[in-house]
Amino acid sequence: QQQVKQSPQSLIVQKGGIPIINCAYENTAFDYFPWYQQFPGKGPALLIAIRPDVSEKKEGRFTISFNKSAKQFSLHIMDSQPGDSATYFCAASMTSGTYKYIFGTGTRLKVLA
Amino acid sequence: DAGVTQSPTHLIKTRGQHVTLRCSPISGHKSVSWYQQVLGQGPQFIFQYYEKEERGRGNFPDRFSARQFPNYSSELNVNALLLGDSALYLCASSLEAGRYTFGSGTRLTVV
C-alpha cells in the first residue's frame, strides 16, 4: 500500500518532443504528489507538485495530470530540450503526521539534440 | 539564500566502522529528513525530525540513528557499516508540510 510505481524506467525523445512519465499509487491517504528532477551527483530538485483536488497543474514547460479515481498521475515535459536530460522521480506523501515521501523508482530521460 | 548544506560530500569507510553525516537546513526550516538513495533507485526514507523530536522512522536497522540540534541542524549516524550501506545520503528540510528541499547529499562508499 505504500508503493509508488513509476514507468517507464528509461525514455529517449528527440528535442521538441513531449516525454510522458507515469506513476501509480495505492494509498488513498496520500495527498501531495511532487515530481523531482535529479542530475548525476546532485540531490533531487522539486519541479512541480499537485494535490488531489485538481486534475492538472502547469508550471512552465512541465505539466502534471492527476486522475484521482485511477490513482495515477503523470508528468509531461513540453518542448523538451537536451538540458532536460536527467532522472525524474515521482513521489507521494501525506501532509499530516510524518511527512515522508514514498518515491518511485525513477525514469532516466535522454533528450537528443 | 543558502540551500540545504551537507557535509562531507564524499567519504570512504571500512566495513564495521562508524560514520557521522551532517546537515544544515535552510534558514527558518524546522523540519529535517534523511533519505538513503542506492544507485539506480529512488530515495528511501530514514528519519524525520521536527523541533528536535523524532517524528518518523523508516524501515532501517537500529544501526542508523539521528538527532536534531537546537539550531535545527542534524546528524545521521550509522554504526557497524556494511557494504550495503554504500549510497547517497540525502538531507531535506521543510518549512511547510509536504514541500521538501533536498541537499546535494553525501556519497558514502563502504569498502
Side-chain angles (χ1 to χ4, degrees):
Chain A
Q1 261 230 330
Q2 289 293 318
Q3 274 191 320
V4 175
K5 295 182 180 178
Q6 183 172 346
S7 63
Q9 191 172 29
S10 63
L11 193 51
I12 300 175
V13 299
Q14 295 288 337
K15 178 183 172 182
I18 305 176
I20 301 172
I21 305 170
N22 301 297
C23 284
Y25 64 98
E26 295 179 358
N27 190 342
T28 55
F30 289 143
D31 60 0
Y32 183 74
F33 301 90
W35 284 90
Y36 280 82
Q37 178 190 57
Q38 187 175 30
F39 293 103
K42 300 293 185 183
L46 178 66
L47 269 178
I48 185 172
I50 197 167
R51 297 189 187 271
D53 52 345
V54 297
S55 59
E56 186 176 280
K57 184 175 181 181
K58 191 176 294 188
E59 285 185 7
R61 295 185 295 109
F62 301 96
T63 299
I64 300 180
S65 297
F66 189 87
N67 186 329
K68 189 174 180 178
S69 60
K71 292 184 283 186
Q72 295 175 348
F73 57 109
S74 59
L75 176 70
H76 301 231
I77 305 175
M78 306 302 176
D79 187 28
S80 59
Q81 301 296 314
D84 296 330
S85 298
T87 299
Y88 292 80
F89 293 96
C90 63
S93 76
M94 291 176 278
T95 55
S96 60
T98 301
Y99 312 137
K100 67 177 182 181
Y101 284 178
I102 307 297
F103 280 90
T105 50
T107 296
R108 184 173 291 185
L109 171 67
K110 186 172 179 65
V111 181
L112 302 176
Chain B
D1 259 352
V4 178
T5 57
Q6 293 186 243
S7 63
T9 54
H10 298 84
L11 76 165
I12 300 173
K13 291 285 190 178
T14 304
R15 275 177 298 175
Q17 284 189 315
H18 163 270
V19 69
T20 298
L21 311 181
R22 295 177 174 84
C23 171
S24 292
I26 292 173
S27 178
H29 286 194
K30 298 180 180 179
S31 177
V32 168
S33 292
W34 288 94
Y35 286 78
Q36 180 196 64
Q37 187 177 21
V38 173
L39 197 63
Q41 301 288 323
Q44 297 288 319
F45 174 75
I46 310 176
F47 284 109
Q48 191 208 33
Y49 278 79
Y50 180 76
E51 289 276 17
K52 295 160 291 196
E53 291 194 1
E54 182 182 304
R55 278 283 185 89
R57 168 189 272 266
N59 189 23
F60 281 81
D62 292 343
R63 300 184 295 107
F64 288 77
S65 64
R67 55 181 176 167
Q68 187 177 32
F69 299 100
N71 66 354
Y72 304 111
S73 67
S74 179
E75 280 183 355
L76 175 71
N77 295 282
V78 187
N79 292 324
L81 285 166
L82 303 174
L83 294 179
D85 295 330
S86 296
L88 180 68
Y89 288 85
L90 295 162
C91 175
S93 75
S94 173
L95 181 62
E96 61 186 38
R99 192 178 178 87
Y100 277 103
T101 300
F102 284 84
S104 293
T106 294
R107 172 71 64 188
L108 172 65
T109 302
V110 182
V111 297

